[in-house]
Amino acid sequence: MSQIRKKNSSDGETKPRTSFINIFFKSSKRRPSKDESRKKSNGIEVADFQPSDDTQKTENILDTAEPPTSEMELGSRMEKNEQFLQKLGRKAVSKCLDLNNCRLTTEDVAEVGVALDAIPELEELNLSWNSKVGGNLPLILQKVQEGSKIQTLELVDCDLTPEDGAFMGQLLPIMQNLEVLDLSINRNIGSSLHSIAQGLKSTSNLKVLKLHSCGLSQKSVRILDAAFSYLCELRKLDLSCNKELGGGFEDSSAPLAVLGHLEVLNLHQCSLTADDVVSLTQVIPLLSSLQELDLSANKKMGGSSENLLSRLRFLPALKSLLLNNCALQSETFTALAEASAHLALEVFDLSWNKCVGGNLKLLLESLKCSESLQVLRLSSCSLVTEDVALLASLIQTGHLAKLQKLILSYNDSICDAGWAIFCQNVWFLKELTELDISLRPSTARDCGQWFGHLLCAVTKLPKITDIGMKRWILPAAQQEELEHFHQDHRRGIHFELGEFQE
C-alpha cells in the first residue's frame, strides 16, 4: 500500500486520479443523485461542514464515472477490483469494509462517504489509523440512514476533532443495531463527550465501548454515568489511559452496578485515587459476570485497595486480573492472596509490585488450588532465591500444570542456586510455551551451571518456543553447548540473549 501511495499521499496533490475506493465500488449499484443524497441525510446537521477543494474535485470525478455497459465489462471491472485488493492485502466482503491503516488521503475519505450509500447491507466499518478521517467524519457518515445495519464502527487514532465527536452524538441514535463502538486514541473528543453520551442512550444493543486514551476527565465519569443505565447489554468497557479520570469515581461509581452483563472492565492507567478505590469497592464485587479486570498502573491504589482486593472473591467468573505496577503493600498483597484462592484465574499479572518479593509463599499457597492458570507475570517483583525455590516446589508437585507463559524477568536478586533449583523443575510444565528470566537493562551477569539444567529441561517441554534471557552472558563453553542443542533439536526454539555475549 505504501508503494502504491508514495507519490499520492500528500495533501498538495493536483493531478486527478481514480483511487482504490472508486475502483472498489465502481461495480456496486449506481449512487443516488445529490438531491437524493440530501433527502437521505435524515436531519443530521452537516450543513456547516465545508469540504476542501480536493474533495470537490473528487465529487466531480465521481459524477462523470459511467456504470458498466455490459456483463462482460462488469466482470472485467470486478476482476480488476479483486487484483487491486490483493495488492492491499484486503478482501472484498459485502458486509465488511476494513480500511484501517490505509493512509487514506482527503480524496479517499470523500469517496468513502459516497461509497457507503452503495452498500446498505454494511455491518462492519473500520477506518482506524487514518488521520485524514479527523475533521471529515460528517462527510463520511452523513449518509448513514435510520435503521442502519452497521454493528461495528472502529475509528481508532483517526485524529477526530471535538466537532467530529459532536457529530457522533447526533449519529448514534439512528445506529440502533450498533454493537461495537471504538473511538480510542482520539484525544480531542473528551470535550464533546456530553453529546456522545446522549447518543449512547439510544444504542441499547451496544456490547463493546472503547474510549481508551480519549482525553477524558473527572467530569467524564459523571457524563457517562447518565448513559450506562441505557446500556444494559454492555459486555466490555475500556476507559484506560485517561490520566485525568482520577477522582471521577469518588461520587459516581454506583451506575456501573447497572451493567449487570459486563464481562471486561479496563481502568488501566486512570490515576485512580484512594477515594476512587473506596467507591469502586462498593461496585466491582456486584459485577457478577465480570471476567477480566485491569487496574494496572494506578499507583495511588496500592495502600487503599485492601478491601477491594479482598472482595474480588465474590466474582466467580473472573478469569483475568491485571494489577501490575499498582504499588501494592504487604497488607493489600495479603488480602489479594487470600481472595485468589476463591478464583479460577487464567491470567494473573502482579509485575512491578515490589512487595511480592519475599512474600510469594502467600500467593503460592492460594495457587495450589488453581487448575486453570495459564499466564503468570511476576516481572520486577524483587523476588528472592526463596521465592523461586518455593515456586519450583509447587511446580514439582504437579500444580500449575496448565501454565503456558511464565514471566520472571527483572528479578536480579535471585542467586545461581535459586535458578538451578527452578531449572531442574520447570520441565514439569508441559504446556509452557514462553519463559522469560531476563535481567534488568542496567545489569549483565554470567550464566551459572544452571544453564545446563535449563537446556535439559527444554528438551522435555514439547510446546516451548520462546525463552527470554536478555543480558545473561554465556561463556564460550555454554555458547558451544547452545549451538549443539540447536543442532540436535531442530524445533525452532528462540533463545533471546541480547547483545552482551562474549
Side-chain angles (χ1 to χ4, degrees):
M1 179 64 195
S2 58
Q3 294 175 348
I4 294 171
R5 286 232 173 269
K6 193 169 290 183
K7 296 182 180 180
N8 298 320
S9 58
S10 66
D11 291 336
E13 64 181 51
T14 57
K15 186 178 180 179
R17 53 119 172 109
T18 302
S19 74
F20 75 86
I21 300 294
N22 195 17
I23 294 172
F24 179 78
F25 286 104
K26 195 170 285 185
S27 63
S28 299
K29 68 177 184 180
R30 189 175 183 179
R31 70 183 184 88
S33 67
K34 291 182 179 179
D35 291 337
E36 291 171 333
S37 298
R38 290 192 188 100
K39 290 178 182 178
K40 292 183 178 180
S41 63
N42 207 59
I44 297 175
E45 296 177 9
V46 295
D48 295 335
F49 179 79
Q50 296 297 325
S52 65
D53 291 339
D54 288 343
T55 301
Q56 292 172 350
K57 291 176 183 178
T58 301
E59 289 182 351
N60 292 334
I61 293 170
L62 289 169
D63 284 343
T64 59
E66 293 294 332
T69 56
S70 67
E71 291 185 6
M72 182 178 298
E73 183 179 350
L74 174 60
S76 175
R77 289 186 180 181
M78 291 181 68
E79 184 177 353
K80 289 179 180 179
N81 291 349
E82 292 178 1
Q83 292 173 352
F84 193 86
L85 289 171
Q86 285 177 358
K87 292 180 182 180
L88 298 174
R90 311 283 166 162
K91 290 185 177 180
V93 181
S94 60
K95 295 185 179 182
C96 176
L97 180 56
D98 186 354
L99 298 175
N100 83 87
N101 199 24
C102 276
R103 301 184 183 180
L104 298 179
T105 65
T106 303
E107 181 178 322
D108 293 329
V109 166
E111 292 180 39
V112 172
V114 173
L116 289 180
D117 198 38
I119 42 176
E121 299 298 317
L122 188 68
E123 294 180 357
E124 299 181 17
L125 177 60
N126 189 347
L127 299 174
S128 299
W129 315 104
N130 290 292
S131 61
K132 295 299 182 182
V133 172
N136 291 305
L137 197 62
L139 183 64
I140 300 171
L141 298 179
Q142 62 181 321
K143 295 184 180 180
V144 173
Q145 302 301 305
E146 184 81 40
S148 164
K149 294 185 179 180
I150 294 179
Q151 298 176 11
T152 298
L153 178 59
E154 297 176 83
L155 298 170
V156 180
D157 198 11
C158 284
D159 201 17
L160 299 183
T161 65
E163 292 74 21
D164 292 327
F167 173 78
M168 277 300 306
Q170 299 173 29
L171 184 67
L172 287 171
I174 66 173
M175 300 183 71
Q176 296 177 359
N177 289 309
L178 194 65
E179 296 183 359
V180 177
L181 177 61
D182 192 347
L183 301 177
S184 298
I185 320 182
N186 288 290
R187 297 171 181 83
N188 295 318
I189 65 172
S191 59
S192 54
L193 185 64
H194 189 274
S195 176
I196 294 173
Q198 285 294 110
L200 287 173
K201 293 180 180 181
S202 300
T203 57
S204 59
N205 291 314
L206 196 68
K207 292 181 172 61
V208 177
L209 176 60
K210 295 184 179 181
L211 297 172
H212 163 89
S213 191
C214 281
L216 305 186
S217 65
Q218 287 185 1
K219 295 180 180 179
S220 301
V221 179
R222 297 182 180 87
I223 294 172
L224 288 171
D225 278 350
F228 286 155
S229 59
Y230 296 86
L231 303 178
C232 299
E233 297 299 319
L234 198 66
R235 301 295 197 272
K236 182 171 185 176
L237 177 62
D238 185 352
L239 301 177
S240 61
C241 295
N242 288 288
K243 297 181 181 180
E244 302 300 320
L245 208 63
F249 289 98
E250 293 179 9
D251 300 315
S252 303
S253 64
L256 280 174
V258 305
L259 303 176
H261 296 292
L262 196 67
E263 297 175 355
V264 179
L265 177 60
N266 191 342
L267 298 176
H268 168 91
Q269 202 174 37
C270 285
S271 301
L272 297 180
T273 66
D275 289 334
D276 286 330
V277 173
V278 171
S279 295
L280 291 171
T281 299
Q282 307 303 316
V283 176
I284 289 180
L286 301 178
L287 303 175
S288 59
S289 297
L290 200 63
Q291 298 180 17
E292 300 178 24
L293 177 61
D294 189 349
L295 298 174
S296 298
N298 288 291
K299 294 184 179 181
K300 293 182 180 179
M301 66 174 284
S304 58
S305 56
E306 182 177 351
N307 289 335
L308 171 60
L309 298 181
S310 178
R311 297 187 68 187
L312 293 180
R313 69 185 68 201
F314 300 117
L315 298 176
L318 195 64
K319 297 179 180 178
S320 175
L321 180 58
L322 309 184
L323 295 169
N324 59 287
N325 201 18
C326 282
L328 297 182
Q329 299 178 7
S330 58
E331 295 82 4
T332 52
F333 178 65
T334 300
L336 173 63
E338 293 174 353
S340 63
H342 303 272
L343 303 173
L345 292 176
E346 296 178 1
V347 179
F348 203 177
D349 190 348
L350 288 171
S351 297
W352 302 93
N353 288 292
K354 307 303 182 182
C355 69
V356 179
N359 295 303
L360 188 61
K361 60 183 178 182
L362 296 175
L363 182 64
L364 295 181
E365 284 296 320
S366 299
L367 294 181
K368 282 183 178 180
C369 304
S370 175
E371 298 180 354
S372 57
L373 193 63
Q374 299 175 18
V375 178
L376 179 60
R377 299 182 183 274
L378 298 172
S379 178
S380 193
C381 282
S382 297
L383 299 183
V384 296
T385 298
E386 182 185 3
D387 291 324
V388 292
L390 290 170
L391 177 59
S393 177
L394 187 66
I395 293 172
Q396 184 185 35
T397 54
H399 299 288
L400 306 180
K402 292 187 177 181
L403 203 62
Q404 298 174 14
K405 293 184 179 182
L406 179 57
I407 311 300
L408 302 174
S409 55
Y410 298 2
N411 288 291
D412 297 357
S413 298
I414 301 170
C415 69
D416 285 351
W419 286 122
I421 295 172
F422 173 77
C423 292
Q424 287 171 346
N425 291 280
V426 70
W427 67 271
F428 285 98
L429 301 176
K430 298 299 185 182
E431 299 295 318
L432 197 66
T433 62
E434 180 181 342
L435 172 66
D436 195 343
I437 57 173
S438 298
L439 297 172
R440 293 179 180 277
S442 59
T443 307
R445 195 164 126 196
D446 286 341
C447 280
Q449 295 301 314
W450 56 263
F451 183 70
H453 296 306
L454 177 61
L455 289 182
C456 182
V458 170
T459 64
K460 302 175 184 178
L461 294 174
K463 298 184 179 181
I464 193 78
T465 58
D466 293 282
I467 300 177
M469 294 184 60
K470 290 182 179 179
R471 291 165 290 278
W472 284 105
I473 300 174
L474 296 181
Q478 291 183 338
Q479 288 189 37
E480 185 176 352
E481 193 175 357
L482 181 58
E483 291 176 4
H484 289 158
F485 172 85
H486 284 308
Q487 292 173 2
D488 296 338
H489 304 278
R490 300 181 181 275
R491 290 170 42 197
I493 301 173
H494 177 56
F495 285 80
E496 190 171 5
L497 295 167
E499 303 175 354
F500 288 85
Q501 301 311 304
E502 294 180 346

